């Protein structure tokens, strides 16, 4: 009996960093107090008005299938938000609601990349990209990110790697895992290169509302308004603290939306109806929540960066967006995995080795500072003690 196509696909996938999480969970179950710096989600509750909107929808019986593309009310709210944040208003048939940003990335790749096409993306990367590009049988063209460039993928690097074999450029700004942000100049140059080489751009903008120090978000969609080659993926998980709701969207050329509509109808019929009502409320009346959590994140960012720069063997630059830092640990002489495990065992601090996000993460750790300032300080104090003991 055949094992099915998934068995072959599984071989193409790297291993996610589950062992750290599993170990931390085991230690916590045994009563050890663990500081959790590995979790990539805000530790705030979803705003009450968003919960109320979804509850109201449930009470009113809004519990059946809705259009595969998404409910018109949410599509309208997304169009308004894109107009406000990216400076153009997508047409109705350029928007699709999906259960999270991840499906946007999946369908974005599925509808544009053929087997053997080259896909340009950053290393370190968000784990899903590397897996999916592997599943798709596309060729991985990874661009190394360097601390000296503040972990930006530079236009020169893209220029050196783009060719007529390039099917798609995958951008992620602000970036997971480094917090790096592409400048307006970077975005302009990369968007123009994509046009010259007639290649798609998939732009994961899930952290676009999470920027610091007056930094602005620039989207490569400015050039074609998502009419020809640019696909924006965004969602509600991070800025509105809605990871469990599973809600996101894509804005894309209408042929891509049409293909995704057909595919998604086969996969799941639609995104949960009442969840979408919560999304409408988040986009229409959620800005004060985003402003409020960004004030918290600004304080946390300062606490984590200042703290890490006091830990022996570590140094850390300020991230420009998202809620991750990528401290340099090269001075310790230890491998990232070795140090991550050491800090878990000795300090009870769970974080991820930079290598969980690709080879270029060697010599770095990834910390999510979606924790209170008190927890951040506790984690830093413990890391200081653990590092003083070995250095
Ligand atoms: C860069 C990036 N894209 C997408 C996602 C997934 O977002 P969602 O929960 O909306 O699927 C994450 C989550 O960590 C992420 O870091």
């Amino acid at each position: 009996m055949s094992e099915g196509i998934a068995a072959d696909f599984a071989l193409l996938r790297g291993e996610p960093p589950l062992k750290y999480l599993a170990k931390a969970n085991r230690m916590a179950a045994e009563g050890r107090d663990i500081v959790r710096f590995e979790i990539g989600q805000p530790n705030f509750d979803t705003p009450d008005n968003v919960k109320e909107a979804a509850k109201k929808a449930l009470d009113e019986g809004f519990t059946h299938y809705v259009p595969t593309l998404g409910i018109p009310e949410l599509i309208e709210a997304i169009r308004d938000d894109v107009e406000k944040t990216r400076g153009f208003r997508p047409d109705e048939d350029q928007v699709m609601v999906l259960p999270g940003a991840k499906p946007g990335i999946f369908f974005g790749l599925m509808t544009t990349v053929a087997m053997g096409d080259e896909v340009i993306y950053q290393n370190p990367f968000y784990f899903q990209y590397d897996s999916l590009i592997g599943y798709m049988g596309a060729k991985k063209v990874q661009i190394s990110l360097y601390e000296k460039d503040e972990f930006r993928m530079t236009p020169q690097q893209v220029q050196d790697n783009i060719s007529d074999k390039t099917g798609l450029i995958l951008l992620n700004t602000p970036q997971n895992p480094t917090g790096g942000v592409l400048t307006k100049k970077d975005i302009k140059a990369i968007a123009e290169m994509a046009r010259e080489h007639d290649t798609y751009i998939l732009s994961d903008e899930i952290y676009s509302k999470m920027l610091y120090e007056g930094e602005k978000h620039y989207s490569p969609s400015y050039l074609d308004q998502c009419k020809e080659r640019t696909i924006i993926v965004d969602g509600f998980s991070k800025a509105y603290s809605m990871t469990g709701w599973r809600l996101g969207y894509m804005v894309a050329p209408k042929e891509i939306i049409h293909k995704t509509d057909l595919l998604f109808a086969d996969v799941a019929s639609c995104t949960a109806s009442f969840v979408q009502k919560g999304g409408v409320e988040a986009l229409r009346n959620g800005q004060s929540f985003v402003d409020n959590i960004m004030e918290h994140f600004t304080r946390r960012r300062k606490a984590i960066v200042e703290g890490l720069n006091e830990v022996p063997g570590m140094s850390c630059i300020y991230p420009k967006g998202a809620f991750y830092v990528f401290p340099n640990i090269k001075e310790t002489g230890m491998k990232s995995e070795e140090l991550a495990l050491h800090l878990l065992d000795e300090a009870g601090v769970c974080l991820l080795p930079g290598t969980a996000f690709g080879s270029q993460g060697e010599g770095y750790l990834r910390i999510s500072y979606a924790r209170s300032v008190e927890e951040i300080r506790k984690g830093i104090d413990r890391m200081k003690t653990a590092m003083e003991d070995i250095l």
Side-chain angles (χ1 to χ4, degrees):
M1 200 187 296
S2 135
E3 285 189 304
I5 201 165
D8 295 332
F9 275 3
L11 299 176
L12 296 169
R13 195 184 202 289
E15 282 302 318
L18 295 177
K19 66 179 173 194
Y20 299 89
L21 317 187
K23 187 162 186 195
N25 290 341
R26 242 185 355 257
M27 289 165 73
E30 286 160 13
R32 181 94 182 260
D33 174 41
I34 306 289
V35 177
R36 310 296 299 237
F37 281 148
E38 84 284 12
I39 305 167
Q41 65 180 346
N43 61 330
F44 302 99
D45 199 3
T46 300
D48 283 342
N49 57 326
V50 172
K51 289 200 262 183
E52 287 309 321
K55 281 188 216 166
K56 183 163 175 281
L58 284 171
D59 289 343
E60 288 174 356
F62 195 65
T63 53
H64 300 102
Y65 289 132
V66 288
T68 305
L69 288 168
I71 61 171
E73 215 182 327
L74 182 53
I75 290 181
E76 205 49 30
I78 292 167
R79 293 173 72 204
D80 287 346
D81 195 67
V82 170
E83 185 169 10
K84 214 164 53 200
T85 52
R86 277 81 166 189
F88 74 98
R89 185 171 184 78
D91 295 335
E92 239 171 281
D93 55 5
Q94 282 187 274
V95 180
M96 175 153 186
V97 177
L98 288 162
K102 275 180 141 177
I105 293 155
F106 176 76
F107 289 114
L109 287 168
M110 280 284 281
T111 52
T112 55
V113 174
M115 227 181 237
D117 279 357
E118 293 189 357
V119 177
I120 293 178
Y121 63 112
Q122 297 131 313
N123 178 347
F125 43 73
Y126 176 52
F127 192 81
Q128 186 205 12
Y129 308 156
D130 192 62
S131 284
L132 289 181
I133 294 163
Y135 287 149
M136 254 134 234
K139 188 155 174 258
K140 300 178 177 184
V141 180
Q142 298 180 350
I143 308 272
S144 299
L145 302 186
Y146 297 103
E147 192 177 351
K148 69 173 173 50
D149 300 323
E150 297 181 302
F151 301 114
R152 288 165 36 240
M153 175 161 80
T154 66
Q156 188 58 50
Q157 287 176 302
V158 178
Q159 182 71 59
D160 294 344
N161 285 279
I162 198 166
S163 73
D164 56 5
K165 297 196 195 93
T166 309
L168 182 135
I169 303 171
L170 212 174
L171 296 182
N172 174 214
T173 180
Q175 207 234 6
N176 181 4
T178 64
V181 168
L182 295 176
T183 64
K184 185 178 186 179
K185 216 165 137 202
D186 297 336
I187 289 285
K188 263 188 100 179
I190 295 169
E192 274 161 25
M193 272 181 249
R195 179 168 64 180
E196 242 170 71
H197 288 267
D198 194 19
T199 165
Y200 286 107
I201 298 187
L202 179 54
S203 183
D204 181 349
E205 302 181 11
I206 184 84
Y207 297 105
S208 57
K209 290 184 177 7
M210 310 191 91
L211 287 155
Y212 302 98
E213 294 178 0
E215 199 68 42
K216 281 209 170 67
H217 175 67
Y218 293 104
S219 167
S221 56
Y222 84 94
L223 198 55
D224 72 336
Q225 312 204 324
C226 294
K227 287 208 160 44
E228 284 172 37
R229 67 189 73 263
T230 312
I231 303 168
I232 297 176
V233 172
D234 201 343
F236 298 76
S237 290
K238 313 288 173 167
Y240 302 102
S241 226
M242 291 172 68
T243 48
W245 290 62
R246 310 312 303 134
L247 188 63
Y249 64 86
M250 69 199 277
V251 181
K254 64 177 197 282
E255 321 75 70
I256 302 227
I257 295 292
H258 180 58
K259 285 185 197 167
T260 305
D261 184 22
L262 297 176
L263 270 170
F264 189 55
D266 287 341
V267 172
S269 295
C270 62
T271 302
S273 53
F274 52 93
V275 162
Q276 296 192 48
K277 292 279 191 179
V280 174
E281 181 61 22
L283 288 183
R284 296 276 183 224
N285 298 307
Q287 191 55 45
S288 57
F289 176 82
V290 180
D291 292 344
N292 181 35
I293 67 168
M294 286 314 290
E295 277 174 27
H296 283 281
F297 278 127
T298 300
R299 286 193 287 275
R300 295 165 175 196
R301 171 177 176 262
K302 185 165 183 287
I304 194 84
V305 173
E306 284 180 357
L308 284 168
N309 282 317
E310 287 170 9
V311 176
M314 294 191 194
S315 66
C316 184
I317 61 169
Y318 275 94
K320 294 220 154 75
F323 42 80
Y324 307 110
V325 279
F326 213 60
N328 183 325
I329 54 143
K330 290 178 185 168
E331 212 187 300
T332 65
M334 291 170 84
K335 293 277 184 204
S336 298
E337 288 212 8
E338 189 192 356
L339 185 54
L341 279 176
H342 177 76
L343 290 172
L344 181 56
D345 286 334
E346 299 305 317
V349 171
C350 184
L351 39 70
L352 295 176
T355 44
F357 303 87
S359 55
Q360 210 47 36
E362 188 56 88
Y364 294 88
L365 300 173
R366 203 236 21 201
I367 290 178
S368 161
Y369 53 92
R371 300 276 114 200
S372 69
V373 169
E374 293 69 40
E375 275 172 287
I376 289 172
R377 296 216 171 107
K378 179 159 89 173
I380 293 283
D381 285 346
R382 289 187 187 182
M383 285 197 276
K384 272 189 201 163
T385 310
M387 295 310 291
E388 274 157 11
D389 286 349
I390 55 169
L391 287 183

